[in-house]
């Protein structure tokens, strides 16, 4: 007997099961090629983390900083402030403007009328009045500014003093509360 190499079966001799398995393997290989590999580049650099300390704006405009700050706020049970602020930022970019009214109602009902965010009664009334007249990109400006100020004077300084910030924003799944 001589040694021969074993050739893979051509597709015409494969069973449906074999063809399905091959297709699944190809799809899995393609998915693995498309998945980003986690590297140290996915973590913020020390310079980037230091920029977060410059201002709340710098923190919120950094994608990783936003995730870390949200994690911190969740540990303080005040994540709704950030959710409201971000919802209003998205609201301001809605086009066409005719779609704003429905989204404005949702934001108002979710955050302001339920007192999920703490805005003054005068701001609540002004926002409500503004929305009844006409939903506009500036309809939530007073409320958004007030919530931003609240995060800036209360949550943000606590974040800067937190272990999460001191660790350079490293978030692990089993992170203990700050």
């Amino acid at each position: 007997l001589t040694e021969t190499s074993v050739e893979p079966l051509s597709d015409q001799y494969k069973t449906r099961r074999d063809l399905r398995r091959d297709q699944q393997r190809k799809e899995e290989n393609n998915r693995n090629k498309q998945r980003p590999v986690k590297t140290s580049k996915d973590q913020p650099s020390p310079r980037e983390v230091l920029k977060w300390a410059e201002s709340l704006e710098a923190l919120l405009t950094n994608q990783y900083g936003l995730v870390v700050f949200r994690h911190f706020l969740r540990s303080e049970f005040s994540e709704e402030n950030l959710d409201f602020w971000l919802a209003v930022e998205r609201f301001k970019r809605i086009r066409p403007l005719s779609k704003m009214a429905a989204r404005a109602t949702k934001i108002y009902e979710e955050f302001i009328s339920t007192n999920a965010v703490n805005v003054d009664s005068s701001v609540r009334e002004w926002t409500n009045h503004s929305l009844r007249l006409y939903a506009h990109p500036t309809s939530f400006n007073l409320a958004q500014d007030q919530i931003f100020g609240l995060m800036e004077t209360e949550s943000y300084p606590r974040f800067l003093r937190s272990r999460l910030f001191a660790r350079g924003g490293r978030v692990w799944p089993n992170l203990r509360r700050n």
Side-chain angles (χ1 to χ4, degrees):
L1 289 174
T2 60
E3 242 181 79
T4 58
S5 64
V6 177
E7 297 282 327
L9 291 175
S10 70
D11 285 350
Q12 73 186 45
Y13 297 111
K14 290 184 177 180
T15 65
R16 285 185 185 168
R17 183 177 171 203
D18 292 332
L19 291 170
R20 224 179 6 250
R21 185 187 65 234
D22 289 349
Q23 183 62 32
Q24 288 171 341
R25 284 182 184 159
K26 284 180 188 176
E27 289 171 2
E28 181 64 27
N29 286 338
N30 286 338
R31 277 194 301 269
N32 287 337
K33 287 178 188 175
Q34 294 171 356
R35 279 189 198 141
V37 177
K38 292 282 185 186
T39 65
S40 61
K41 292 178 185 175
D42 292 336
Q43 299 292 324
S45 68
R47 176 178 283 163
E48 192 175 4
V49 173
L50 287 176
K51 283 190 138 245
W52 301 349
E54 291 176 6
S55 69
L56 181 57
E57 294 93 354
L59 176 65
L60 297 179
T61 56
N62 179 280
Q63 184 177 1
Y64 197 83
L66 184 61
V67 170
V68 174
F69 189 55
R70 175 182 297 283
H71 187 81
F72 172 76
L73 291 175
R74 189 175 297 137
S75 74
E76 289 203 327
F77 305 102
S78 60
E79 183 180 16
E80 64 281 346
N81 289 334
L82 181 60
D83 290 340
F84 171 73
W85 189 85
L86 291 170
V88 173
E89 287 297 299
R90 286 188 300 272
F91 170 78
K92 290 176 181 179
R93 294 188 302 268
I94 291 176
R95 299 294 180 265
L97 296 179
S98 60
K99 292 184 176 185
M100 285 190 132
R103 187 64 191 138
T105 300
K106 286 181 183 177
I107 292 171
Y108 186 84
E109 289 174 357
E110 182 179 351
F111 296 103
I112 296 179
S113 71
T114 62
N115 293 323
V117 292
N118 189 15
V119 292
D120 295 342
S121 61
S122 60
V123 171
R124 179 178 285 107
E125 289 171 20
W126 186 91
T127 304
N128 188 18
H129 178 72
S130 172
L131 292 173
R132 278 187 276 143
L133 293 176
Y134 176 67
H136 188 269
T138 62
S139 296
F140 289 102
N141 277 4
L142 284 178
Q144 187 184 31
D145 290 347
Q146 194 169 62
I147 293 304
F148 185 87
L150 188 65
M151 289 191 299
E152 190 172 43
T153 58
E154 294 184 19
S155 303
Y156 179 63
R158 286 194 304 271
F159 169 73
L160 294 178
R161 292 188 303 267
S162 72
R163 289 186 304 179
L164 184 57
F165 178 74
R167 281 197 307 254
R170 303 303 196 264
V171 180
W172 292 282
N174 59 353
L175 182 68
R176 284 179 267 180
R177 291 183 60 206
N178 289 333

